[in-house]
Amino acid sequence: MSTIPQGHQYIDGEYRVGRGPVAERVNPATGQVAQTLDFASVADVEDAVTAAAAAFKTWSRLTPGARADHLLAFATELGTRAAELAVLETEQTGKSTRMSHEFDVPGTIDNVNFFAGAARHLQGQAAGDYAGNSTSMIRREAIGVIGSIAPWNYPLQMAAWKILPAIAAGNTIVLKPSELTPGTTLLFAEAATAAGIPAGVINVVVGTGREIGEALVRHPQVVMSSFTGSTQVGRRIMEMAAETGKRVHLELGGKAPLVVFKDADVEAAAHGAVAGSTINGGQDCTAATRAYVHSSLFDTFTTRVAELMDAMVVGDPTDPDTDMGSLISFVHRDKVAGMVERAKEAGAIALSGGFAPDLPGAFYRPTLITGATQDSEIVQDEIFGPVLVALPFETDDEGIELANDTPYGLAASAWTNNVNLALRAAAEIQAGCVWVNEHIPIVSEMPHGGYKASGFGKDMSSYSFEEYTNVKHVLISHDTDTHKEWQDTVFKQR
Ligand code: NAD
């Protein structure tokens, strides 16, 4: 049960009661109501943007070192609240407690620590006398109030990925988490205030995408919309942002391939495929969803993946022995099941998995599908559940071609011990991340972001500063002549 008593908006350094409708949040692993939430109204969005705009005036002028000190204190504060954050993350998402304790919370704290350091390393071209009689230099400046919108799959980490690069660079932010999972984002903002980050730098508004998300994107004082979520909503954000001509940063859906070449270690690939497809209940934008396996390894691979999936412990997410908890909601579970059913009706075979009628919540067991066609819905569309489709291929060219044959391009993995083939796959697979003999690991130092329908712009790493800063050219003349020589082109001195 959430520890936040009431007031589910975090504006100007304090909890406030939202003036919008009241909604119930359900624990997806039990199906029981866990919390009653007061949603924001458009007036609350207005207050949050006003607070962020006021805070920008001082926060953006702090030295990078001073901002870094704040972020280091924030990381320490989050460390003292790690257990509370992990418990709530599991309660609101249904993910296993091992995921929350060992991945979500430490990953979030590492991200805060990384950006404390990165705040002091904004990069630009060295100053130079490019015109001969003047010096040019680069200023990298904060852009203003950022409006961010996040999904429900990794609520805490997504909040960190959106907030940290923005505020490290001197911006202030209003973030709307998913209405299904606002709890840890609110605690995150509260911890920032407790650590001494000034009021108004981080604001959280909770409500639906249609009302509160859209109000945030459309707000004229919000200079940039940074969004993580589905491709469909991402495109809507882009349309709305065009109305005020604001910058957008879109981290969208994925359909990651895992390509197992002829010489691969098939046992390692099977383990990678199971971990990569069932992590977070498969509700991970980089999850392995399509395994293309050389035909000589196909039977060994699929038999082993089905065995490993069958052995996974699915159930109570609060039990440390549980490998996989529930999906986010019954509606989402039924969407996943519907895609599997349609694939079966079209001739595919499910080698494992399916519903878990013995469990009370929105559970769906790890599922392996064979016999689907490349152009079918289950191969082409994002499923966002613990479902892996395996298809055979013959030549290296074909493996790479099939990997590229969906609209998405977020992540991919190539499994081979041939260094030439590994380098070729890394170059030719169209995705923002290509793992070789791995699938999933992320690090704060490296960028995360998509190609094609998976969006553009980078989260994490110093590359994210490209999104959250303006690059300004400052030219200082040291030519003391009243009439500069180049001005003759425009008018001659007479
Ligand atoms: P979603 O697109 O339905 O919702 C994401 C957020 O957008 C939520 O906060 C929602 O309230 C809000 N929203 C919905 N409609 C809106 C509108 N019209 N205007 C403004 N905001 C609106 O996605 P989801 O179901 O919460 O999350 C799953 C999706 O997120 C998947 O597609 C997944 O691939 C994607 N995702 C991508 C990444 C990445 O880094 N590329 C990371 C995590 C999740």
Side-chain angles (χ1 to χ4, degrees), residues 81-156:
R81 299 171 180 229
E84 182 189 7
L85 287 164
V87 168
L88 183 55
E89 195 73 328
T90 284
E91 190 229 72
Q92 60 180 1
T93 59
K95 69 174 72 189
S96 78
T97 186
R98 292 212 307 270
M99 278 292 291
S100 295
H101 278 91
E102 296 170 23
F103 184 62
D104 293 272
V105 173
T108 299
I109 295 173
D110 185 67
N111 215 245
V112 179
N113 273 316
F114 170 78
F115 277 104
R120 305 179 78 156
H121 290 279
L122 287 180
Q123 305 258 323
Q125 201 171 338
D129 295 356
Y130 300 104
N133 52 5
S134 62
T135 299
S136 284
M137 63 181 186
I138 290 294
R139 288 177 59 86
R140 224 175 228 285
E141 297 178 343
I143 56 179
V145 176
I146 310 295
S148 277
I149 297 178
W152 45 257
N153 59 340
Y154 293 106
L156 193 52

Side-chain angles (χ1 to χ4, degrees), residues 248-307:
V248 288
H249 169 211
L250 302 176
E251 299 284 354
L252 309 178
K255 190 74 191 171
L258 175 144
V259 188
V260 185
F261 291 102
K262 190 177 181 178
D263 71 309
D265 175 342
V266 70
E267 181 67 12
H271 280 254
V274 173
S277 62
T278 63
I279 183 168
N280 211 43
Q283 302 161 123
D284 180 308
C285 48
T286 62
T289 59
R290 302 176 285 141
Y292 296 106
V293 187
H294 190 268
S295 60
S296 63
L297 304 177
F298 191 77
D299 289 346
T300 316
F301 176 86
T302 49
T303 305
R304 193 64 182 123
V305 167
E307 275 171 13

Side-chain angles (χ1 to χ4, degrees), residues 149-150 152-153 176 179 214 228-230 251-253 285 382 448:
I149 297 178
W152 45 257
N153 59 340
K176 191 199 88 61
E179 57 275 33
E214 298 211 357
T228 298
S230 61
E251 299 284 354
L252 309 178
C285 48
E382 188 175 44
H448 173 95

Side-chain angles (χ1 to χ4, degrees), residues 309-461:
M309 281 184 166
D310 283 342
M312 283 183 73
V313 179
V314 178
D316 177 3
T318 64
D319 183 340
D321 284 336
T322 293
D323 294 320
M324 206 181 88
S326 75
L327 303 191
I328 188 68
S329 67
F330 291 99
V331 170
H332 185 62
R333 181 203 55 184
D334 292 346
K335 182 195 152 219
V336 171
M339 284 179 79
V340 171
E341 283 317 304
R342 287 192 290 280
K344 289 198 315 204
E345 280 161 20
I349 299 162
L351 295 186
S352 63
F355 280 112
D358 49 321
L359 294 168
F363 290 88
Y364 198 79
R365 294 188 187 282
T367 300
L368 175 64
I369 304 277
T370 59
T373 55
Q374 176 63 20
D375 62 356
S376 61
E377 177 195 48
I378 201 141
V379 175
Q380 292 293 322
D381 293 352
E382 188 175 44
I383 188 160
F384 228 55
V387 179
L388 179 68
V389 188
L391 297 119
F393 68 87
E394 296 300 334
T395 64
D396 298 344
D397 284 351
E398 197 192 351
I400 292 174
E401 242 170 64
L402 290 167
N404 284 332
D405 180 30
T406 73
Y408 297 102
L410 190 59
S413 64
W415 296 75
T416 175
N417 288 312
N418 174 339
V419 69
N420 297 323
L421 188 51
L423 287 170
R424 189 183 154 203
E428 293 184 14
I429 295 178
Q430 297 152 5
C433 170
V434 177
W435 293 285
V436 176
N437 297 327
E438 253 301 7
H439 198 108
I440 288 297
I442 49 171
V443 288
S444 295
E445 291 80 357
M446 287 290 141
H448 173 95
Y451 283 25
K452 300 175 8 186
S454 294
F456 49 82
K458 300 294 179 194
D459 281 332
M460 305 208 292
S461 83

Side-chain angles (χ1 to χ4, degrees), residues 169-220:
N171 304 286
T172 55
I173 191 163
V174 179
L175 173 76
K176 191 199 88 61
S178 167
E179 57 275 33
L180 300 178
T181 56
T184 48
T185 310
L186 290 165
L187 289 183
F188 188 75
E190 182 196 327
T193 306
I197 292 185
V201 173
I202 301 174
N203 306 275
V204 178
V205 287
V206 176
T208 63
R210 272 263 167 235
E211 194 187 1
I212 298 309
E214 298 211 357
L216 189 56
V217 177
R218 290 206 151 106
H219 200 292

